[in-house]
Amino acid sequence: MSKAGAFDLATGVGGKIEKDEVLSAVDKYEKYHSYYGGEEKERKDNYTDMVNKYYDLVTSFYEYGWGESFHFAHRLKGESLRESIKRHEHFLALQLGLKPGHKVLDVGCGIGGPLREIAQFSMTSVTGLNNNEYQITRGKALNRKVGLDKTCDFVKADFMKMPFPDNSFDAVYAIEATCHAPDAVACYKEIYRVLKPGQCFAVYEWCMTNSFDPHNKEHQNIKAEIELGNGLPEVRSTGQCLEAVKQAGFEVIWDKDLAADSPVPWYLPLDTSQYFSLSGFRLTAVGRFITKNMVKGLEYVGLAPTGSQRVQEFLEKAADGLVNGGKKEIFTAMYFVLARKPHLDS
């Protein structure tokens, strides 16, 4: 995992946004969301701007607190967070049946933590697709650092309009990324198009579960916090995601909410009432308190741009929503679907 320090956090806030424009970007980003009166239609119509602003603003915070792989994981007792994240990525590679020499696509790759782990684990060539320039710049630097720049690369593009020919990849996966898509069916259709016939697509999706009650105000508030704090147009249900995969043309091999039988709650690292870890100190209550005051100080002396504290605040709100959603079992961060594109003669 990345060991980004305070200076990296301070200088990275805002990504490719000009430092004197970070505060206005935070204002515009927040106004997209229902928590501040925004409408779902506006978030979907402007998803590219919204998601890009989100990742420009939060990537340095993610890397500082979480490492290079921006996702949760099914976790076993006695297993560290880092170990669970690696196993979660290896599990996906095994489900896809990856073999040395395969050409693989990572849809919504972040800064490439899973890409590097899966490429090394399976001896494959992985292309990371991402529409955020700052994350791609970070990903390329980290690829060079571990010597993967010759076999793995990044492409800046929208996953709703991929710049690849039909039937280009031996496997495609997405880890907590296609939840940003304004239209799940259209997104999965693009994945279907670029995948070779007979090959598989695997996805970890963020979803509301069957326990979510859209008429329950507390449930609505939790959902709004998750959307605000994580750059989402909406959070779809598990049923909607499964149906979207089928409508895109895939044959579903199996699906399961992996959070349902996780021995250790997936949200534990964000639960400040329970979690303490020396290795994951930055995620603990004390660690978050220190980070909050550190960001305040860095902003005050001008090392971090004005607006950095506001980013910290909506990420705190996101953590609260995720923990509450997980505890009430109305939200999952790991609805898993493995699907196959039929052979041409099927």
Side-chain angles (χ1 to χ4, degrees):
M1 286 190 180
S2 175
K3 297 296 182 183
F7 181 75
D8 300 301
L9 171 60
T11 56
V13 175
K16 291 295 182 180
I17 299 170
E18 293 295 328
K19 300 307 178 185
D20 60 355
E21 296 177 1
V22 167
L23 182 59
S24 63
V26 175
D27 282 332
K28 186 172 181 181
Y29 170 76
E30 289 181 340
K31 287 174 183 175
Y32 278 124
H33 291 276
S34 58
Y35 198 90
Y36 291 96
E39 300 291 335
E40 182 181 309
K41 183 179 185 302
E42 185 179 7
R43 292 196 297 277
K44 288 183 174 181
D45 289 346
N46 297 281
Y47 76 95
T48 300
D49 180 64
M50 181 189 71
V51 174
N52 257 310
K53 276 187 171 57
Y54 175 76
Y55 280 113
D56 272 328
L57 292 168
V58 307
T59 293
S60 62
F61 282 94
Y62 273 25
E63 194 172 351
Y64 177 79
W66 206 259
E68 294 175 22
S69 292
F70 302 163
H71 64 81
F72 294 98
H74 176 278
R75 189 169 170 187
L76 306 177
K77 290 182 178 179
E79 188 176 44
S80 71
L81 175 62
R82 181 175 182 176
E83 288 168 343
S84 71
I85 285 175
K86 284 179 175 288
R87 183 176 51 76
H88 203 60
E89 294 164 358
H90 295 174
F91 173 82
L92 186 148
L94 292 169
Q95 290 299 310
L96 285 170
L98 299 185
K99 293 179 173 55
H102 272 179
K103 185 179 178 184
V104 184
L105 178 65
D106 180 332
V107 176
C109 61
I111 62 172
L115 177 156
R116 286 181 287 279
E117 185 65 35
I118 288 172
Q120 291 172 318
F121 176 74
S122 60
M123 293 187 285
T124 54
S125 173
V126 185
T127 297
L129 182 76
N130 191 328
N131 208 22
N132 184 268
E133 186 179 347
Y134 177 68
Q135 288 196 334
I136 287 179
T137 300
R138 285 291 299 136
K140 286 182 176 180
L142 292 166
N143 273 14
R144 287 193 296 271
K145 188 175 180 180
V146 296
L148 284 177
D149 50 311
K150 299 293 190 296
T151 56
C152 297
D153 62 354
F154 294 87
V155 173
K156 186 181 184 301
D158 184 345
F159 55 36
M160 303 298 290
K161 298 170 285 196
M162 297 189 201
F164 307 118
D166 296 354
N167 310 320
S168 296
F169 294 94
D170 298 298
V172 181
Y173 67 84
I175 302 177
E176 301 179 24
T178 47
C179 49
H180 293 293
D183 182 331
V185 176
C187 179
Y188 293 151
K189 280 184 175 179
E190 268 296 271
I191 290 169
Y192 182 95
R193 181 183 66 79
V194 302
L195 181 63
K196 293 179 181 178
Q199 302 304 306
C200 290
F201 163 55
V203 60
Y204 291 125
E205 276 286 7
W206 279 24
C207 294
M208 306 313 294
T209 70
N210 291 336
S211 298
F212 173 72
D213 179 359
H215 304 294
N216 181 307
K217 287 188 177 179
E218 184 183 16
H219 288 195
Q220 290 174 351
N221 188 60
I222 289 171
K223 181 172 179 284
E225 285 182 336
I226 293 171
E227 289 167 347
L228 165 68
N230 298 281
L232 306 179
E234 65 167 331
V235 185
R236 292 174 278 269
S237 70
T238 53
Q240 287 173 319
C241 281
L242 184 62
E243 185 57 31
V245 172
K246 293 176 180 177
Q247 286 184 29
F250 286 104
E251 298 172 345
V252 174
I253 298 173
W254 71 281
D255 70 290
K256 181 177 176 61
D257 177 6
L258 299 182
D261 61 357
S262 181
V264 177
W266 61 267
Y267 54 81
L268 184 65
L270 298 179
D271 187 356
T272 56
S273 68
Q274 296 185 46
Y275 182 70
F276 185 82
S277 166
L278 289 175
S279 63
F281 179 73
R282 291 170 180 174
L283 298 174
T284 65
V286 176
R288 281 165 61 173
F289 176 80
I290 291 172
T291 300
K292 182 176 182 178
N293 284 281
M294 180 186 70
V295 170
K296 183 177 180 180
L298 291 169
E299 185 174 326
Y300 180 78
V301 299
L303 284 176
T306 303
S308 297
Q309 292 180 75
R310 291 269 297 280
V311 178
Q312 171 80 11
E313 287 168 5
F314 73 64
L315 286 175
E316 293 272 354
K317 203 178 295 317
D320 292 341
L322 291 168
V323 170
N324 290 330
K327 285 183 174 180
K328 293 182 179 299
E329 299 182 348
I330 63 172
F331 171 81
T332 177
M334 56 195 70
Y335 176 55
F336 179 77
V337 181
L338 179 66
R340 180 184 292 113
K341 178 176 179 176
H343 287 282
L344 294 176
D345 56 359
S346 296

